[in-house]
Amino acid sequence: MSNLDERMRLAVEWFERYQFSDGAGGAGWGWVHDVPPNPQNTAEVVCALTAAGIPVPRAAEVLHLVRRQMIVPPTAGAGEFTGPIDIAWQLRAMHCLGVADDDSDVRECIRTLIQEQDAESGGYRMSGSVGPVSLTATTAAMHALAPYAADDVEVARATLRGVTFLALTMLSDDVRAEPLYSAAHIATVLARPEYASVGGRRARRASELAIERMLDGLASGANCNGDEHFLRGDVAHIWTHLGLHAAVGAVLVADGTLIFHPAVRAALTALFDLQVMTQQLPSRGGFRTSSEGFITAYSTTLAVEAMVHARTAVAETVNPGRVFDLICQVDGAHHSDGRVVTEWGSRRLVMNSHVGFAMFVLASAAGLTIVGLGALLKAGLAEEAPLPERAAAGGLIVWGTFVLAFGTLAWLTSRFPNFSQRAIAAGVFGGFTAVVLPIVTYIF
């Protein structure tokens, strides 16, 4: 936990270093540290800091920027943030900053989101009234409207339609729900307590399916990022979604007990590897979008939220002794984790110590049986028996010994994941070749 808290502290310090004034009375963050702040990225940081229980620095100036939907940075030209995705983030940030429910800007954002909801599907578009319905915009709107659903009938009706749309999209194998980030977006919405009773059995099944999809995606080790294209006014934009960052947090908020899952722990390790930890670098504490990517406010906010959910899972669902045994090891490896024993192409053979021990027992029984049969055959042969028969008896003994060695190798490589597989294989086959096999052949 101390290491997790330290990483979160460094990320917060990164936010504090790269918070800038916009030249018009506001302050916030941009996509990267060397661009002017904008309302959306600022809102993302506000939500992440609030989730972590950390006060937002220069909160009054931040709120001043978040309230605006049009900015004119002197170095970047005009910037308009009036689409449903922008309004949703604006509303979320104002709620996190403690703006009253009856505030005029809050009521206007709610009214706009209700009006912008697609009449046919119940989803939302990223920006404007044309273009495809976006899961990203829909999930953002559901998060933004959730705090107001209990006291506003229109909001409750809109959230019911939106949550139902998300659940059906996941259950119908819609191509929009295939990317890892889409499953993460849907899972976080369905995990909100405000929507616990919305959607019924379909929503629960959709959440389970989203979790399965995220676990499969994290375990594959493939590139989890994806791009979503949309128009904001006449300008084409690309939203690069960070599947790893989003899925780690989404899995844990959906089911905290999955902190034990090997794919989740490996993904957490991969996420931590993206944080800059070098003391001499001014970007220390920030998270990259990928191993060769930029350090951005978006990637850092997602990482902070993932760490918040990890800390909650550890605090609420994990036995301290098991934490020490499974998570707090220096290298993070444990023999109960699945380990890639071999791979060919895109296929991998994964095995943990329990399966390895089962293979050892089965191989030992088979190997000893084969050695025993070879010994009986050899004992029944006369001294003048033909060479092929004597070779067959000896071959059975050697083959049985090899099966026994293979089972031993499977167990040891899975039981001691911190050791080199090549070193274990060399030790096992070297020992059987130099010691066991000569003794067996001599005896029999």
Side-chain angles (χ1 to χ4, degrees):
M1 289 300 293
S2 60
N3 183 262
L4 186 59
D5 291 338
E6 175 68 10
R7 288 181 176 275
M8 290 186 64
R9 182 185 66 81
L10 292 175
V12 172
E13 291 178 354
W14 185 90
F15 285 131
E16 293 173 346
R17 284 196 304 273
Y18 293 109
Q19 182 184 31
F20 298 114
S21 298
D22 66 349
W29 295 266
W31 181 66
V32 292
H33 70 276
D34 57 352
V35 301
N38 65 73
Q40 183 174 304
N41 287 120
T42 300
E44 293 168 358
V45 176
V46 168
C47 293
L49 293 179
T50 303
I54 298 169
V56 178
R58 303 166 64 178
E61 296 175 80
V62 168
L63 179 58
H64 183 75
L65 174 59
V66 166
R67 283 183 182 272
R68 293 206 309 268
Q69 296 176 359
M70 177 72 71
I71 59 173
V72 186
T75 59
E80 182 178 341
F81 293 83
T82 57
I85 186 70
D86 310 308
I87 301 299
W89 278 108
Q90 182 184 25
L91 182 59
R92 289 185 68 182
M94 287 193 292
H95 178 74
C96 291
L97 291 169
V99 179
D101 293 359
D102 58 356
D103 180 88
S104 60
D105 287 339
V106 170
R107 301 314 305 176
E108 179 63 22
C109 285
I110 293 175
R111 185 189 65 81
T112 301
L113 287 178
I114 292 175
Q115 289 181 344
E116 292 290 338
Q117 188 172 34
D118 182 63
E120 182 177 348
S121 66
Y124 288 83
R125 294 174 175 82
M126 290 289 280
S127 182
S129 58
V130 296
V133 172
S134 166
L135 294 182
T136 304
T138 305
T139 53
M142 293 303 99
H143 283 300
L145 294 173
Y148 311 98
D151 301 321
D152 191 310
V153 175
E154 286 189 279
V155 173
R157 188 180 298 114
T159 55
L160 173 61
R161 296 185 64 227
V163 171
T164 302
F165 164 72
L166 294 175
L168 291 178
T169 302
M170 176 59 68
L171 293 175
S172 63
D173 291 329
D174 193 302
V175 293
R176 291 173 294 186
E178 289 181 358
L180 185 62
Y181 66 82
S182 296
H185 289 332
I186 294 174
T188 55
V189 169
L190 298 180
R192 290 191 67 108
E194 296 92 341
Y195 301 138
S197 60
V198 175
R201 184 181 302 174
R202 289 183 301 185
R204 290 192 296 272
R205 177 55 190 151
S207 179
E208 295 170 356
L209 184 59
I211 293 173
E212 293 174 6
R213 188 164 296 177
M214 287 187 291
L215 292 177
D216 290 341
L218 292 175
S220 69
N223 180 22
C224 300
N225 296 345
D227 293 336
E228 183 173 1
H229 299 260
F230 67 100
L231 291 175
R232 184 180 274 134
D234 296 330
V235 181
H237 289 261
I238 300 176
W239 189 314
T240 300
H241 293 281
L242 309 180
L244 172 64
H245 302 63
V248 172
V251 165
L252 294 178
V253 74
D255 186 355
T257 60
L258 290 173
I259 188 73
F260 292 126
H261 196 285
V264 175
R265 298 209 325 273
L268 271 172
T269 301
L271 180 61
F272 291 154
D273 288 339
L274 299 180
Q275 187 176 26
V276 179
M277 300 297 288
T278 307
Q279 294 186 2
Q280 293 78 11
L281 295 179
S283 57
R284 186 184 189 217
F287 281 79
R288 298 184 181 277
T289 57
S290 63
S291 56
E292 292 84 24
F294 297 103
I295 301 169
T296 70
Y298 179 54
S299 56
T300 306
T301 55
L302 289 176
V304 167
E305 291 176 345
M307 290 189 286
V308 169
H309 299 317
R311 185 170 61 181
T312 301
V314 170
E316 295 182 355
T317 65
V318 178
N319 177 281
R322 196 173 182 190
V323 174
F324 180 82
D325 188 36
L326 290 177
I327 299 178
C328 297
Q329 299 184 63
V330 174
D331 58 2
H334 191 268
H335 61 82
S336 63
D337 290 345
R339 185 181 187 185
V340 179
V341 178
T342 185
E343 53 185 320
W344 54 97
S346 60
R347 297 177 177 83
R348 302 181 301 163
L349 177 62
V350 181
M351 182 170 57
N352 67 2
S353 61
H354 305 305
V355 177
F357 183 73
M359 290 188 63
F360 171 71
V361 173
L362 294 175
S364 297
L368 292 175
T369 300
I370 296 172
V371 170
L373 291 174
L376 290 175
L377 178 60
K378 189 173 183 179
L381 295 175
E383 292 292 337
E384 62 278 3
L387 179 60
E389 295 182 6
R390 287 184 283 123
L396 283 176
I397 296 174
V398 173
W399 173 244
T401 306
F402 175 80
V403 171
L404 183 60
F406 180 80
T408 304
L409 175 64
W411 178 38
L412 292 179
T413 53
S414 59
R415 182 60 181 81
F416 301 100
N418 299 325
F419 291 90
S420 168
Q421 292 184 357
R422 293 184 178 181
I424 295 176
V428 169
F429 286 107
F432 270 84
T433 302
V435 180
V436 178
L437 188 58
I439 293 177
V440 170
T441 54
Y442 176 78
I443 293 176
F444 298 110

